[in-house]
């Protein structure tokens, strides 16, 4: 496997970090709550078979203050479409988790030529009053990791400050990631994606962790019904909302099996 | 110095076991606890108290805006202010204020405040809060990441609506209006004094300095906790080259005055413990939506006591204070005889360099009789000891300039009997 490479692209005048590792057909990753502040085991498992590219979403770690350029959902989707182009991902496969899943789904729906195959893990974008998504922004301090992961220590590892970093600036970067997610999806995560799911013609894999405390199980079926016959579903046993942190190898195996 | 009488309009009948059995006084407060027929009396009592404070000679009477809140029953302070404008003659009416980003379009605020200024003959103080996270983001659904941008744009729109003489189109980031042409216009020209309630963000201090607005620190935790914030405000004013006119600032303080300190401890114990125990029972998930606090403020406050409390695991937003001794020791409420209260308030005002003292003399489940007793005793025996502070050196440039008294209308209800 090749070494992790880092470069910078510019979207809306704001620098965005792009990580890349591995060889083969490109597969992009739009992470969920908290973004991707560091390279982690799931990405390594993917990079064993694919060239994995992780562009930083606006406002998420590595994405600077790009979220402040996005006022509408259209702004977000165009920024993410541009990111795919600039990061060398256009025409490749795309994996979206949680918050990132909402964006990945819309990019696939609106710019079909940019996405070959789409894997969504507990993606946001829909909202059902009768079966609401848990409100990740209305939790007591310290409660979020337990909602996001069966193994909350995995989320703590993801967001732990690297050596040599300024603690204040690291904390701000983590809060900014939460803010960017809120800017995109406040208050429910409803981007009215239901109106566009039928436009997704690519093959789609819909994954969820069986222990997801954020996104009810019914949402996987809602996505499947909205997309149609090109969608298939699978469940990762014992994993939570950020399933790729709880079960990196299992999620990577399921996705690689689908992409190949 | 100016002495303002502030009402939060708290619901006074929260059950004794409210803290144990209910999650929060704010946002998700149980609506089954609200008895509209009791609220009928509460609202009328509260308005009586505000009018009584005006009669007693307070410089201003103040109201504010909260939503889904068991200690603040004024989702629309303008409704209350309009009755006060009719029922009082000379007192300034401080609406502290309208959370600009919650009004769609914000020209609504320009219109209603202009109405209030006209009805009152130019006695309005216009408060423009951003609004708390509980009110704005959770009860009213605003996006915390856009709230301050919307607030600033709404402010610019309101100010242009008041000051531009010709109709204009407003093509903003969040508001697009083909014809902005507010009718009526405020009596006070170019506009009523602007006061900004804030919670200690450095950008708000800088903005108040830039715009020449009053900064009012409205904390429920008294002068001891507020000192650090006000010192930060003044050092920023100094850094920006502003004069240290105490009328640039306002500060909120709870007070209970009686014939003696022991008597004050005895009679204000229940309402104070009710307020800090029940009224401030706010659940922490609603206190810190991401994006509400600016990055610059996080940088400045990181490591400070404020941020430690706000981010500590599972801790309530308010320190749970259910004991009157603790409440007094911490300075949340100043209690004592008239002379003792005057001495403390003089010290606080001097040390904080605050020219606008905003006093809560009704709090918690305090009855109208006790609120009026507190108000009258304060007006008779404390206020005269405070009045002259600062006036030898400083002019209050942020106070309403009403129409001359002789030119103002006298509300005169004509009864049917008299007409016949």
């Amino acid at each position: 496997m090749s070494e992790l490479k880092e470069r910078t692209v510019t979207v809306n005048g704001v620098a965005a970090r792009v990580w890349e590792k591995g060889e083969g057909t490109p597969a992009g990753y739009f992470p969920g709550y908290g973004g991707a502040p560091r390279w982690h085991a799931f990405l390594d498992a993917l990079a064993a078979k694919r060239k994995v590219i992780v562009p930083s979403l606006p406002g998420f770690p590595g994405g600077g203050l790009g979220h402040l350029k996005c006022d509408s959902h259209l702004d977000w989707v165009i920024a993410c479409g541009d990111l795919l182009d600039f990061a060398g991902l256009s025409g490749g496969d795309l994996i979206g988790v949680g918050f990132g899943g909402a964006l990945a789904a819309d990019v696939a729906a609106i710019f079909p030529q940019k996405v070959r195959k789409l894997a969504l893990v507990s993606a946001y974008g829909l909202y059902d009053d009768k079966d609401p998504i848990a409100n990740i922004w209305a939790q007591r301090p310290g409660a979020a990791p337990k909602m996001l992961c069966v193994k909350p220590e995995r989320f703590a590892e993801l967001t732990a400050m690297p050596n040599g970093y300024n603690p204040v600036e690291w904390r701000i970067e983590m809060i900014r990631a939460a803010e960017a997610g809120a800017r995109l999806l406040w208050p429910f995560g409803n981007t009215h994606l239901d109106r566009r799911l039928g436009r997704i013609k690519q093959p789609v894999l819909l994954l969820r962790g069986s222990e997801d405390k954020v996104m009810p199980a019914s949402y996987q079926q809602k996505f499947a019904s909205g997309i149609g016959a090109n969608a298939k579903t699978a469940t990762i046993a014992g994993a939570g909302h950020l399933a790729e942190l709880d079960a990196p190898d299992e999620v990577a195996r399921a996705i690689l099996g689908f992409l190949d | 110095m100016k002495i303002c009488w502030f009402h939060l309009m708290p619901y006074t009948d929260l059950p004794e076991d409210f803290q144990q059995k209910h999650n929060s006084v704010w946002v998700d407060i149980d609506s089954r606890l609200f008895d509209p027929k009791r609220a009928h009396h509460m609202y009328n009592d509260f308005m009586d108290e505000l009018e009584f404070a005006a009669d007693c000679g307070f410089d201003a009477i103040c109201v504010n805006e909260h939503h889904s809140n068991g200690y603040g029953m004024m989702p629309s302070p303008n409704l209350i202010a309009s009755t006060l404008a009719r029922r009082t003659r000379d007192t300034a009416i401080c609406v502290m204020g309208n959370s600009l980003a919650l009004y769609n379009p914000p020209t609504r605020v320009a219109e209603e405040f202009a109405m209030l200024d006209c009805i009152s003959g130019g006695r309005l103080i216009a408060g423009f809060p951003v609004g708390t996270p509980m009110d704005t983001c959770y009860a009213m659904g605003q996006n915390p990441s856009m709230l301050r941008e919307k607030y600033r744009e709404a402010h610019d729109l309101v100010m242009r609506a008041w000051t531009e003489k010709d109709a204009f189109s407003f093509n903003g980031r969040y508001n697009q209006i083909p014809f902005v042409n507010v009718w009526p216009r405020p009596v006070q020209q170019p506009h009523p004094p602007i006061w900004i309630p804030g919670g200690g963000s450095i950008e708000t201090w800088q903005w108040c300095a830039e715009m020449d607005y009053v900064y009012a620190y409205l904390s429920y935790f008294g002068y001891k906790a507020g000192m650090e914030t006000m010192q930060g405000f003044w050092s920023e004013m100094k850094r920006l080259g502003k004069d240290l006119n105490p009328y640039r600032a306002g500060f909120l303080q709870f007070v209970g005055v009686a014939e003696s300190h022991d008597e004050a401890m005895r009679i204000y114990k229940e309402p104070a413990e009710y307020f800090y125990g029940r009224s401030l029972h706010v659940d922490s998930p609603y206190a810190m939506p991401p994006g509400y606090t600016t990055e610059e403020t996080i940088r400045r406050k990181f490591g400070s006591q404020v941020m430690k409390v706000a981010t500590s695991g599972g801790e309530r937003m308010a320190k749970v204070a259910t004991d009157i001794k603790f409440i007094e020791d911490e300075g949340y409420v100043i209690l004592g005889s008239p002379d003792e209260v005057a001495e403390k308030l003089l010290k606080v005002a001097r040390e904080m360099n605050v020219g606008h003292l905003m006093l809560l003399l009704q709090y918690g489940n305090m009855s109208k009789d006790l609120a009026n007793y507190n108000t009258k005793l304060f007006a008779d025996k404390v206020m005269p000891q405070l009045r002259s502070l600062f006036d030898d050196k400083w002019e209050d440039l942020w106070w309403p300039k009403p129409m001359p008294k002789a030119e103002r209308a006298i509300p005169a209800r004509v009864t049917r009997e008299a007409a016949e």
Side-chain angles (χ1 to χ4, degrees):
Chain A
M1 201 189 314
S2 64
E3 288 300 302
L4 178 64
K5 287 183 269 192
E6 181 175 320
R7 59 198 156 92
T8 301
V9 298
T10 303
V11 176
N12 283 334
V14 180
R17 176 180 69 207
V18 177
W19 278 328
E20 185 178 314
K21 192 173 181 180
E23 305 293 338
T25 313
Y29 170 63
F30 284 0
Y33 185 95
R38 53 166 39 81
W39 193 264
H40 49 80
F42 165 70
L43 299 172
D44 261 341
L46 284 178
K49 299 274 178 65
R50 290 299 196 97
K51 181 197 279 185
V52 178
I53 299 178
V54 183
S56 296
L57 302 178
F60 287 81
L65 293 170
H67 60 303
L68 301 182
K69 305 273 185 179
C70 298
D71 295 344
S72 67
H73 193 59
L74 183 63
D75 292 339
W76 278 98
V77 175
I78 289 174
C80 289
D82 288 348
L83 254 183
L84 292 190
D85 291 342
F86 304 153
L89 263 167
S90 195
D93 299 321
L94 188 58
I95 302 156
V97 179
F99 292 0
L103 290 168
D106 254 327
V107 169
I110 296 169
F111 305 114
Q113 73 285 3
K114 292 186 195 291
V115 181
R116 190 183 74 104
K117 285 187 175 182
L118 177 67
L120 298 176
V121 185
S122 295
Y124 274 72
L126 310 181
Y127 192 79
D128 179 358
D129 291 321
K130 295 189 188 76
D131 195 11
I133 301 169
N135 190 341
I136 193 71
W137 297 295
Q139 301 301 320
R140 297 207 168 92
K146 290 178 199 148
M147 283 184 73
L148 294 167
C149 292
V150 170
K151 298 170 183 162
E153 65 277 13
R154 294 280 170 87
F155 187 77
E157 286 162 14
L158 177 77
T159 54
M161 188 177 74
N163 287 336
Y165 222 91
N166 176 322
V168 178
E169 293 308 316
W170 181 256
R171 185 178 181 84
I172 284 173
E173 210 168 319
M174 297 302 100
I175 293 172
R176 189 186 296 156
E179 176 186 343
R183 194 174 179 98
L184 168 68
L185 294 167
W186 189 273
F188 302 132
N190 184 3
T191 62
H192 301 292
L193 178 60
D194 55 323
R195 300 170 191 169
R196 300 179 293 279
L197 282 177
R199 300 176 68 94
I200 300 177
K201 303 298 182 197
Q202 301 91 329
V204 182
L205 174 65
L206 299 165
L207 281 182
R208 75 179 296 272
S210 65
E211 309 306 313
D212 188 340
K213 290 180 189 155
V214 178
M215 189 73 61
S218 66
Y219 284 71
Q220 191 182 34
Q221 203 43 55
K222 289 181 180 71
F223 268 92
S225 311
I227 293 169
N230 47 324
K232 59 179 187 176
T233 62
T235 300
I236 305 296
H241 176 68
L242 299 180
E244 84 278 27
L245 297 186
D246 278 328
D249 293 333
E250 293 84 343
V251 175
R253 200 176 308 127
I255 289 176
L256 287 169
F258 162 71
L259 296 182
D260 288 341
Chain B
M1 130 175 259
K2 296 291 196 305
I3 299 160
C4 312
W5 199 101
F6 201 121
H7 214 317
L8 293 172
M9 299 205 172
Y11 193 78
T12 56
D13 281 355
L14 296 175
E16 265 185 52
D17 57 3
F18 180 71
Q19 262 196 2
Q20 290 75 41
K21 294 205 172 150
H22 294 271
N23 190 49
S24 181
V25 79
W26 211 339
V27 181
D28 60 356
I29 185 169
D30 186 346
S31 71
R32 282 165 287 248
L33 295 174
F34 191 89
D35 178 348
K37 289 177 183 165
R38 281 289 301 125
H40 162 73
H41 288 283
M42 289 176 204
Y43 278 123
N44 281 282
D45 283 352
F46 296 156
M47 287 189 268
D48 288 346
E49 290 159 18
L50 282 155
E51 290 165 13
F52 181 69
D55 277 352
C56 287
F58 281 80
D59 295 301
I61 43 180
C62 314
V63 290
N64 73 343
E65 174 178 333
H66 282 305
H67 300 270
S68 309
N69 184 322
Y71 77 71
M73 295 204 300
M74 281 182 283
S76 174
N78 301 356
L79 293 180
I80 305 294
S82 76
T83 77
L84 298 175
R86 285 273 295 172
R87 303 263 297 174
T88 62
R89 290 293 322 276
D90 300 314
T91 315
I93 295 172
C94 176
V95 182
M96 200 67 192
N98 285 180
S99 300
L100 290 172
L102 300 184
Y103 294 77
N104 182 18
T107 39
R108 186 86 188 161
V109 175
E111 291 172 337
E112 291 191 7
F113 273 1
M115 284 178 71
L116 285 171
D117 209 41
C118 286
I119 295 169
S120 67
R123 289 184 285 140
L124 179 73
I125 294 168
F128 291 151
V130 171
T132 69
M134 287 67 80
D135 291 314
T136 55
C137 300
Y138 292 99
M140 301 296 272
Q142 292 296 307
N143 189 314
S145 179
M146 297 180 180
L147 182 70
R148 286 172 198 275
E149 297 162 6
K150 285 182 77 172
Y151 168 83
R152 286 292 180 92
E153 180 178 299
H155 162 270
D156 295 348
L157 171 55
V158 169
M159 297 311 286
R160 283 187 64 191
W162 276 344
T163 53
E164 292 195 16
K165 299 301 175 202
D166 298 316
F168 62 92
S169 60
F170 189 83
N171 181 28
R173 194 168 174 181
Y174 299 101
N175 300 276
Q176 289 96 37
I177 306 176
F179 292 96
V180 179
N181 191 12
V182 166
W183 184 269
R185 300 279 171 148
V187 164
Q188 299 181 80
Q189 288 294 317
H191 55 77
I194 310 291
W195 291 19
I196 308 294
S201 103
I202 193 163
E203 291 95 333
T204 305
W205 298 343
Q206 290 164 347
W207 190 60
C208 285
E210 180 194 335
M211 304 303 292
D212 226 9
Y213 293 160
V214 167
Y215 173 75
Y217 182 53
L218 306 185
S219 156
Y220 302 135
F221 300 109
Y223 63 98
K224 289 185 182 171
M227 198 63 79
E228 188 188 342
T229 297
M230 291 314 300
Q231 283 168 351
F233 170 75
W234 287 116
S235 54
E236 190 61 19
M237 293 306 107
K238 210 181 268 183
R239 195 184 69 78
L240 294 170
K242 292 285 170 184
D243 63 44
L244 302 186
N245 186 335
Y247 292 109
R248 288 187 181 281
F251 181 72
L252 184 80
Q253 179 64 54
F254 288 60
V255 170
V257 58
E259 291 305 327
S260 68
H261 180 261
D262 285 352
E263 177 71 354
M265 289 288 275
R266 189 181 68 78
I267 62 178
Y268 298 112
K269 173 181 165 65
E270 186 188 337
E273 290 180 354
Y274 178 103
F275 183 81
Y276 287 97
R278 282 179 245 180
S279 302
L280 284 195
H281 178 59
V282 181
D283 205 2
S284 56
Y286 311 128
M288 294 284 282
Y292 179 85
T293 305
T294 65
E295 294 187 0
E296 203 42 50
T297 298
I298 296 170
R299 278 190 188 95
R300 197 182 64 81
K301 287 187 174 176
F302 193 75
S304 79
Q305 203 55 37
V306 180
M307 198 53 92
K308 273 180 200 152
V309 170
T311 56
S312 58
E315 195 166 344
R316 289 267 155 181
M317 177 185 124
K319 293 171 191 169
V320 177
T322 52
D323 171 64
I324 188 67
K325 189 167 180 325
F326 178 88
I327 290 167
E328 194 202 18
D329 287 350
E330 292 293 310
Y332 297 177
V333 182
I334 290 178
L335 295 166
S337 68
D339 288 347
E340 288 166 337
V341 168
E343 188 186 335
K344 263 197 186 160
L345 284 175
L346 279 170
K347 188 169 181 297
V348 166
R350 279 198 192 101
E351 285 180 12
M352 287 192 170
N353 195 40
V354 165
H356 300 116
L357 209 47
M358 311 177 80
L359 300 176
L360 278 164
L361 293 159
Q362 191 287 344
Y363 37 86
N365 61 352
M366 192 185 292
S367 68
K368 182 161 80 175
D369 284 348
L370 185 53
N372 286 352
Y373 167 79
N374 199 13
T375 300
K376 184 167 186 308
L377 195 53
F378 189 97
D380 290 346
K381 296 194 175 170
V382 181
M383 204 144 60
Q385 302 188 52
L386 308 178
R387 271 265 183 256
S388 60
L389 184 66
F390 300 129
D391 285 353
D392 53 335
K393 265 184 80 178
W394 299 102
E395 185 189 351
D396 190 346
L397 304 172
W398 297 271
W399 198 252
K401 295 178 182 60
M403 295 160 59
K405 195 166 180 175
E407 293 176 19
R408 274 186 262 152
I410 300 171
R413 176 169 168 256
V414 179
T415 63
R416 185 185 171 97
E417 289 80 4
E420 285 168 352

